[in-house]
């Protein structure tokens, strides 16, 4: 039970599509296998050692996949760390202390893999690569390319064992400092085969492997599925809707200004030209929403869009129920479980934004006072997630989180600060991930009075004080509870970014 190239579906047709150049590169398993051999021989010639750690700095595409399987076969521990977030591309100098702390949590970094195309690794244009290189014991630069593939020598060396650690990554860091977690070949082998059952036909992946545990929810399960026929990897695709076309840095040079909308339109056009796809793994809510808004043809009527965020009711009403989209599927899990533990689908009977279902019995779950206990197969251990659920028949109704959140290096308990207002009404502090604002959401009908507003003012002052003036409540609204789980749900990645990057995301006090 180890992960090598042998798990790949040999009959899949592979494609790399570059949204910047509109170029499409087609290849098959035999060609990919030669690329894996090239990478393995390169790594072995550099004296790599099994169970040492590596960060793959290759961008999404054939060389990233080749590097991935080469590392898997040689027993390396692949560190999953986001080197290609859109924030890095649009704000190249925005590397704060928390980013460095994240790197330090992952130490040691024995090897950093980068291609010659990504050189020079300068601080201004590639800050994440720059700082990662500073912490890596060795930087290995790939100089070989497609011209060298047919010269590659077969490398049958497989060092991995089922108990070897395969990946190392961080938890979200929402409650306290991020924790480093490890997953083995045996567990991830089991998990990806479980997850592969949902994929078939044409699969399109817009996410780099450097994104938490989502690789074993999407990319790896799809690449091994016997029912997948076409496998598309999209390069230079926006991860989130937060980029500035006036400061857009491409994969190698600052030489183009494609906007977020233009990138979305290009991928929609591409899908139309190939007769549609059966699955799109996009993860981010803003990307999913933008794609849905631009779908005009029937080519997407059989497409399943996979996201790592909550499904909005308007998506279901406007796109699924009208037949414009096949389905929208939301995964619930964490880097510790990889998951998904639960699924929420637009096609679910009696769909609700907060109702999740178990897809199978792979994970044994139990609702406890502190959240959700998840029994991990293979490891035979139980972890506790800080998400509140209520079991309603065969569904799990998500009621949010109750743990600590970070403001810079401080920890706050949202309940402590909202308890002032809860003397009068039920409320929470909420992050609006679209507008990057923090505000008070009130879940019941109330009549505002001067006394209540004074309590809100008191709450605001406490929040401002503990965050050293960087956080304040922008507004307060009366909302239905369900609205909290639509466009303004606390998304862990956005929440972490919001609290950790005051220079970008907070409105300074006068």
């Amino acid at each position: 039970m180890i992960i090598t190239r042998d798990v790949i579906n040999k009959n899949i047709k592979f494609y790399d599509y570059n949204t910047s150049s509109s170029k499409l590169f087609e290849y098959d398993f035999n060609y990919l296998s030669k690329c894996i051999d090239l990478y393995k021989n390169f790594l072995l010639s550099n004296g790599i050692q099994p169970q040492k750690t590596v960060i793959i700095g290759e961008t999404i595409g054939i060389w990233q996949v080749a590097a991935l399987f080469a590392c898997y076969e040689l027993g390396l521990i692949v560190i999953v760390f986001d080197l290609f977030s859109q924030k890095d591309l649009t704000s190249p100098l925005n590397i704060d202390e928390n980013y460095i702390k994240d790197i330090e949590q992952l130490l040691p970094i024995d090897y950093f893999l980068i291609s010659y195309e990504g050189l020079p690794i300068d601080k201004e244009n590639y800050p994440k690569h720059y700082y990662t290189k500073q912490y890596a014991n060795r930087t290995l630069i790939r100089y070989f390319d497609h011209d060298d593939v047919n010269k590659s020598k077969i490398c049958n060396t497989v060092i991995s064992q089922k108990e070897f650690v395969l990946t190392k990554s961080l938890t979200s860091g929402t409650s306290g400092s991020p924790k480093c977690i490890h997953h083995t070949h045996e567990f991830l082998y089991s998990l990806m085969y479980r997850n592969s059952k949902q994929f078939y036909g044409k699969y399109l992946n817009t996410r780099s492997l450097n994104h938490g545990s989502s690789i074993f929810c999407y990319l790896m399960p799809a690449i091994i599925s016997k029912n997948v026929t076409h496998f598309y990897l999209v390069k230079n695709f926006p991860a989130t809707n937060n980029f500035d076309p006036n400061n857009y840095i491409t994969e190698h040079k600052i030489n183009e200004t494609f906007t977020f909308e233009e990138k979305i339109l290009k991928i929609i056009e591409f899908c139309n030209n190939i007769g549609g796809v059966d699955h799109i793994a996009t993860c981010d809510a803003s990307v999913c929403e933008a794609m849905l808004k631009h779908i005009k043809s029937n080519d997407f009527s059989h497409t399943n869009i996979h996201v790592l965020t909550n499904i909005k009711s308007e998506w279901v009403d406007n796109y699924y129920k009208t037949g414009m989209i096949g389905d929208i599927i939301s995964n619930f899990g964490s880097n510790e479980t990889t998951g998904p533990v639960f699924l929420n689908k637009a096609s679910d009977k009696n769909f609700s934004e907060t109702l999740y279902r178990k897809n199978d019995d792979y994970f044994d779950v139990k609702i406890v006072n502190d959240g959700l206990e998840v029994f991990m197969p293979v490891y035979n251990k139980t972890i506790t997630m800080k998400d509140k659920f209520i079991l309603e028949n065969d569904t799990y109704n998500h009621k949010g989180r109750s743990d600590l959140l970070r403001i810079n290096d401080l920890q706050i308990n949202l309940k402590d600060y909202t308890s002032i207002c809860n003397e009068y009404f039920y409320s929470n502090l909420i992050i609006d991930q679209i507008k990057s604002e923090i505000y008070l959401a009130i879940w019941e009908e109330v009549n505002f009075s001067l006394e209540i507003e004074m309590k809100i003012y008191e709450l605001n002052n406490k929040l401002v004080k503990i965050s050293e003036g960087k956080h304040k409540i922008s507004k307060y609204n009366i909302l239905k509870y369900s609205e909290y789980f639509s466009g303004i749900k606390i998304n862990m990645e956005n929440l972490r970014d919001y609290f950790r990057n005051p220079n970008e995301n907070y409105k300074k006090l006068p």
Side-chain angles (χ1 to χ4, degrees):
M1 292 185 179
I2 61 173
I3 298 177
T4 68
R5 79 190 79 180
D6 290 338
V7 302
I8 300 173
N9 177 357
K10 311 298 187 293
N11 298 316
I12 289 179
K13 295 179 180 179
F14 295 92
Y15 304 85
D16 288 358
Y17 176 66
N18 192 321
T19 58
S20 297
S21 64
S22 297
K23 291 182 178 179
L24 182 67
F25 177 71
E26 180 179 352
Y27 50 102
D28 59 13
F29 171 78
N30 290 331
Y31 190 88
L32 174 59
S33 186
K34 291 179 180 180
C35 293
I36 295 171
D37 285 333
L38 262 177
Y39 234 117
K40 284 178 67 177
N41 288 322
F42 165 65
L43 294 174
L44 289 169
S45 69
N46 278 279
I48 62 93
Q49 296 296 314
Q51 291 299 271
K52 296 293 185 180
T53 57
V54 57
I55 287 184
I56 298 176
E58 297 273 6
T59 56
I60 189 170
I62 186 172
W63 291 114
Q64 190 182 69
V65 174
L68 191 69
F69 278 94
C71 292
Y72 286 173
E73 294 185 7
L74 295 178
L76 290 165
I77 301 171
V78 177
I79 297 177
V80 181
F81 194 51
D82 189 6
L83 291 168
F84 301 102
S85 72
Q86 206 63 44
K87 181 180 299 180
D88 192 20
L89 296 176
T90 59
S91 302
L93 298 181
N94 183 41
I95 294 292
D96 61 16
E97 292 181 0
N98 291 296
Y99 184 87
I100 304 302
K101 289 178 182 177
D102 284 351
I103 294 179
E104 292 174 345
Q105 287 275 14
L106 292 164
L107 293 177
I109 301 171
D110 297 294
Y111 313 112
F112 179 40
L113 305 185
I114 188 74
S115 77
Y116 69 94
E117 298 163 301
L119 300 176
I121 306 175
D122 57 84
K123 186 175 181 180
E124 285 71 29
N125 295 336
Y126 299 96
K128 290 186 178 179
H129 286 69
Y130 174 83
Y131 282 106
T132 302
K133 184 177 184 295
Q134 308 310 306
Y135 280 88
N137 294 331
R138 294 179 63 192
T139 297
L140 305 180
I141 303 171
R142 170 180 66 83
Y143 285 102
F144 53 88
D145 211 329
H146 292 289
D147 293 339
D148 304 292
V149 171
N150 290 327
K151 307 172 191 174
S152 69
K153 296 180 180 179
I154 295 174
C155 181
N156 293 320
T157 303
V158 176
I159 302 174
S160 293
Q161 300 177 30
K162 69 177 184 178
E163 65 273 13
F164 273 17
V165 174
L166 181 67
T167 64
K168 179 166 73 169
S169 62
L170 297 177
T171 58
S172 65
T174 304
S175 55
S177 298
K179 295 181 296 183
C180 190
I181 53 176
H182 303 80
H183 283 303
T184 65
H185 271 264
E186 184 177 16
F187 171 71
L188 293 174
Y189 182 97
S190 167
L191 180 77
M192 71 180 187
Y193 270 101
R194 173 257 193 168
N195 290 339
S196 70
K197 298 173 184 177
Q198 64 183 313
F199 296 114
Y200 55 85
K202 297 177 181 178
Y203 169 88
L204 184 142
N205 192 89
T206 68
R207 297 307 299 258
S208 164
L209 66 89
N210 294 302
H211 183 72
S213 60
S214 64
I215 180 176
F216 285 93
C217 292
Y218 303 124
L219 188 147
M220 287 298 295
I223 207 171
I224 71 171
S225 173
K226 300 303 180 184
N227 296 319
V228 170
T229 58
H230 299 70
F231 189 92
Y232 297 90
L233 293 172
V234 180
K235 306 180 72 171
N236 292 324
F237 190 77
T240 57
N241 185 9
N242 65 350
F243 90 35
D244 175 7
N246 296 317
N247 192 26
Y248 177 64
I249 300 173
T250 64
E251 185 178 353
H252 310 307
K253 299 177 182 178
I254 308 175
N255 63 358
E256 64 175 348
T257 56
F258 285 108
T259 67
F260 174 82
E261 293 295 327
E262 287 171 336
K263 292 279 188 177
I264 294 294
L265 288 171
K266 290 192 77 170
I267 200 63
I268 294 293
E269 180 184 11
F270 173 74
C271 290
N272 286 334
N273 290 339
I274 61 174
V277 295
D278 297 289
H279 299 273
I280 298 177
T282 184
C283 302
D284 182 76
S286 60
V287 174
C288 177
E289 187 161 58
M291 293 184 69
L292 290 171
K293 288 180 178 178
H294 287 292
I295 291 174
K296 304 297 182 184
S297 72
N298 292 327
D299 288 328
F300 289 83
S301 61
H302 62 282
T303 301
N304 302 289
I305 297 183
H306 300 261
V307 296
L308 290 178
T309 186
N310 280 72
I311 302 171
K312 297 183 182 182
S313 293
E314 55 261 37
W315 296 353
V316 178
D317 295 336
N318 297 336
Y319 306 106
Y320 170 70
K321 289 183 178 179
T322 59
M324 293 184 65
I325 198 78
D327 207 348
I328 308 169
I329 302 167
S330 170
N331 282 9
F332 176 85
S334 68
N335 281 353
E336 290 178 277
T337 63
T338 65
V341 176
F342 298 137
L343 292 177
N344 186 15
K345 299 181 180 180
S347 60
D348 283 343
K349 185 179 180 181
N350 301 321
F351 166 82
S352 168
E353 294 175 355
T354 64
L355 289 182
Y356 287 81
R357 289 169 172 79
K358 288 185 66 178
N359 194 40
D360 53 29
D361 293 324
Y362 187 82
F363 291 105
D364 185 25
V365 299
K366 180 182 178 182
I367 295 175
V368 294
N369 291 334
D370 292 333
L372 192 72
E373 282 188 354
V374 181
F375 181 77
M376 302 284 288
V378 178
Y379 298 139
N380 294 322
K381 68 177 184 179
T382 298
I383 66 168
T384 301
M385 302 176 69
K386 296 294 186 179
D387 289 82
K388 295 288 188 179
F389 285 91
I390 296 176
L391 185 60
E392 299 176 355
N393 297 322
D394 61 340
T395 63
Y396 292 80
N397 195 342
H398 190 207
K399 293 297 184 182
R401 294 176 65 94
S402 62
D403 53 356
L404 298 176
L405 299 177
R406 292 184 65 187
I407 294 183
N408 297 333
D409 291 330
L410 299 173
Q411 294 182 346
I412 66 167
N413 190 320
L414 292 188
K415 287 187 174 181
D416 290 344
Y417 291 91
T418 56
S419 63
I420 302 169
C421 293
N422 284 338
E423 296 174 12
Y424 298 90
F425 42 75
Y426 179 38
S427 62
N428 289 98
L429 289 177
I430 303 299
I431 303 303
D432 185 330
Q433 65 185 46
I434 304 300
K435 297 181 180 179
S436 292
E437 294 179 338
I438 185 168
Y439 67 96
L440 187 71
I442 302 160
W443 310 122
E444 57 187 73
E445 294 295 333
V446 296
N447 295 316
F448 280 98
S449 65
L450 179 61
E451 184 179 16
I452 290 177
E453 292 202 18
M454 287 301 294
K455 291 295 182 181
I456 294 174
Y457 180 77
E458 183 181 344
L459 169 64
N460 208 355
N461 284 342
K462 286 197 173 186
L463 188 64
V464 166
K465 183 177 180 180
I466 197 171
S467 63
E468 300 176 344
K470 299 189 177 87
H471 306 261
K472 65 174 180 177
I473 298 174
S474 304
K475 58 183 178 179
Y476 51 84
N477 285 345
I478 300 175
L479 300 173
K480 296 179 180 177
Y481 196 78
S482 61
E483 293 180 45
Y484 166 39
F485 293 97
S486 56
I488 55 173
K489 174 185 179 292
I490 290 185
N491 173 288
M492 292 308 148
E493 181 179 357
N494 289 59
L495 184 63
R496 182 177 68 250
D497 289 344
Y498 183 95
F499 277 129
R500 291 186 178 182
N501 295 282
N503 294 333
E504 262 197 34
N505 292 330
Y506 306 128
K507 297 183 176 180
K508 298 277 189 178
L509 288 178

